[in-house]
Amino acid sequence: MSMQDYHSRLSDPASRKFETFSYLPAMTKDEIRKQVEYLVKKGLNPAIEHTEPQYLMDSYWYMWKLPMFGETDVDRVLAECEACRQANPDNHVRLIGYDNFSQSQGASMVIYRGKTV
């Protein structure tokens, strides 16, 4: 097995890759649904954030509305994710699961990728 060289160069913004998961293909709708089901099953509170592609690595992302405390309906969470994507079509959108007990993020994933800069 050989290592594959990804042509990611800082001089070429369209080729930039950041961290391990940026090399993975975008998730399908079914894969996103499974992730939301996982969050709900674990009792995590879903929250949606978005940011412009050039600020992907920044710590601060914009919060889309308030976290969905206690929401267990997967379809409602997916509808809010899609609403965020429709309102911000060029932005990256991520779903976060907050844990009430540890008062921290229990899960975080980019579910929609915006256009490259």
Side-chain angles (χ1 to χ4, degrees):
M1 183 165 130
S2 64
M3 300 276 292
Q4 182 176 357
D5 179 27
Y6 290 96
H7 300 284
S8 177
R9 304 290 179 259
L10 288 176
S11 60
D12 180 11
S15 75
R16 292 183 191 157
K17 299 288 185 183
F18 299 99
E19 67 187 28
T20 303
F21 295 113
S22 66
Y23 291 93
L24 295 175
M27 288 194 286
T28 64
K29 289 186 182 238
D30 187 49
E31 290 170 331
I32 294 171
R33 182 175 197 79
K34 287 179 184 177
Q35 293 296 320
V36 174
E37 288 171 355
Y38 172 81
L39 290 178
V40 169
K41 179 180 168 188
K42 291 292 185 182
L44 300 174
N45 294 301
I48 302 163
E49 296 181 340
H50 63 95
T51 194
E52 296 86 358
Q54 63 268 30
Y55 302 122
L56 174 65
M57 298 306 290
D58 289 356
S59 298
Y60 180 78
W61 286 42
Y62 307 109
M63 184 173 281
W64 174 256
K65 301 184 179 179
L66 293 174
M68 303 172 77
F69 295 109
E71 184 60 66
T72 58
D73 184 352
V74 173
D75 292 321
R76 287 190 65 188
V77 175
L78 289 170
E80 281 301 319
C81 292
E82 187 58 32
C84 180
R85 180 182 185 193
Q86 293 296 322
N88 306 283
D90 296 336
N91 288 7
H92 291 296
V93 178
R94 74 177 171 191
L95 178 64
I96 296 172
Y98 286 109
D99 185 337
N100 283 344
F101 298 104
S102 67
Q103 297 183 1
S104 65
Q105 290 183 11
S108 177
M109 68 215 70
V110 174
I111 55 174
Y112 299 116
R113 295 182 183 164
K115 296 178 181 176
T116 56
V117 180

